Amino acid sequence: MMKKTIHYLCLTSALLTSAEAAQAILNHTSADDVFIRESAPDSLQAERNIFGGQGAGAQFVTLMRFSLSELTTATSGSPVIIDAVSLDLGPSMSYSGISSSFTADLHTYTNFNASNATWNDPDGSGFADTQAGGSVATLLSQENFNNAMVEGSFNFSSSSAFVHYLQTAYDNGDSHIYLRLSNQSDTSTNGFLRTDHGSVTDTGNASLQVSYTAVPEPHTSALLGLAGLSLILRRKTR
């Protein structure tokens, strides 16, 4: 009887391992970056990452769009549980400005149209927004960056809000997500992160690092249930 019990335990364990953790990297292309500067209302430029403060309340804001196609391809569109997600700003990002540090905010952003956007109309709808910076929504992550950090070390870490946002987008079948990078917390600080114009290439500069766990298919769940039930019945009939 001991051998049979071990057999069923091994079967259950093998089925459980079908829900393995994995990672996907979501890159964006240069066309998905838009830099908007408050002190120049109509300044809009692709192929550039720059965000932070220029002092006296002026801001640099970057809007990023990420396609979820790489994630859906990696998961074959199957149900998954997002375990963690972080934003890696890439190897060419560097610190600029006078201040030695600044606090950066990563927010969700809605209804962004890069071809029409300006600072006074950052969603490109043709109507002025009541809040400078546009449709800023949930704060996903907040980090402090300083001038002692080296290129390639700038990241927004995972958070429950960040995970929930991506999970909801994936479950809804959304094709893209939109992120807004700024120093919303302190607009008087003269410190910002940037890449030089043209340094962002179609291979992608920033990327989302997504850790997820595949949810077992219904037939796998049924097998798990049968294996467990069989184990219980075997124990009762000893």
Side-chain angles (χ1 to χ4, degrees):
M1 186 59 205
M2 180 61 70
K3 289 182 179 179
K4 290 182 179 180
T5 301
I6 293 174
H7 171 74
Y8 285 110
L9 284 173
C10 290
L11 173 61
T12 304
S13 177
L15 290 170
L16 284 170
T17 57
S18 63
E20 294 180 352
Q23 186 178 56
I25 299 176
L26 280 58
N27 296 300
H28 71 83
T29 64
S30 58
D32 294 329
D33 265 346
V34 174
F35 147 61
I36 299 177
R37 181 176 175 179
E38 181 183 10
S39 55
D42 295 324
S43 176
L44 177 140
Q45 189 172 37
E47 300 184 7
R48 189 174 194 179
N49 285 323
I50 181 168
F51 67 96
Q54 200 185 21
Q59 284 194 74
F60 295 112
V61 177
T62 287
L63 304 175
M64 290 184 175
R65 181 181 67 173
F66 285 90
S67 170
L68 297 187
S69 61
E70 290 164 298
L71 180 58
T72 54
T73 298
T75 61
S76 301
S78 301
V80 299
I81 297 173
I82 306 297
D83 301 310
V85 55
S86 59
L87 175 62
D88 183 344
L89 295 175
S92 58
M93 185 68 71
S94 60
Y95 191 95
S96 298
I98 299 172
S99 300
S100 60
S101 66
F102 78 98
T103 300
D105 303 286
L106 177 65
H107 285 86
T108 60
Y109 192 89
T110 58
N111 303 320
F112 175 57
N113 186 330
S115 62
N116 300 327
T118 66
W119 175 263
N120 293 327
D121 178 21
D123 63 2
S125 64
F127 300 94
D129 292 283
T130 57
Q131 176 182 335
S135 304
V136 182
T138 307
L139 176 65
L140 301 179
S141 184
Q142 190 176 66
E143 302 291 340
N144 186 264
F145 298 121
N146 62 73
N147 58 6
M149 299 171 71
V150 298
E151 291 184 3
S153 63
F154 301 101
N155 300 277
F156 284 95
S157 58
S158 184
S159 69
S160 58
F162 208 168
V163 169
H164 177 73
Y165 175 56
L166 185 60
Q167 182 77 65
T168 301
Y170 181 86
D171 292 344
N172 289 342
D174 296 344
S175 59
H176 297 84
I177 61 171
Y178 298 88
L179 304 176
R180 179 186 190 271
L181 288 71
S182 68
N183 72 330
Q184 190 93 351
S185 302
D186 181 10
T187 58
S188 64
T189 301
N190 189 342
F192 50 92
L193 298 183
R194 64 174 293 173
T195 59
D196 292 332
H197 175 59
S199 66
V200 180
T201 66
D202 285 339
T203 58
N205 185 47
S207 62
L208 289 177
Q209 315 290 322
V210 183
S211 298
Y212 64 90
T213 302
V215 176
E217 296 293 333
H219 68 274
T220 303
S221 299
L223 287 173
L224 284 169
L226 287 173
L229 180 60
S230 299
L231 179 58
I232 294 172
L233 291 175
R234 282 289 180 179
R235 285 177 174 174
K236 286 184 175 181
T237 57
R238 285 189 302 181

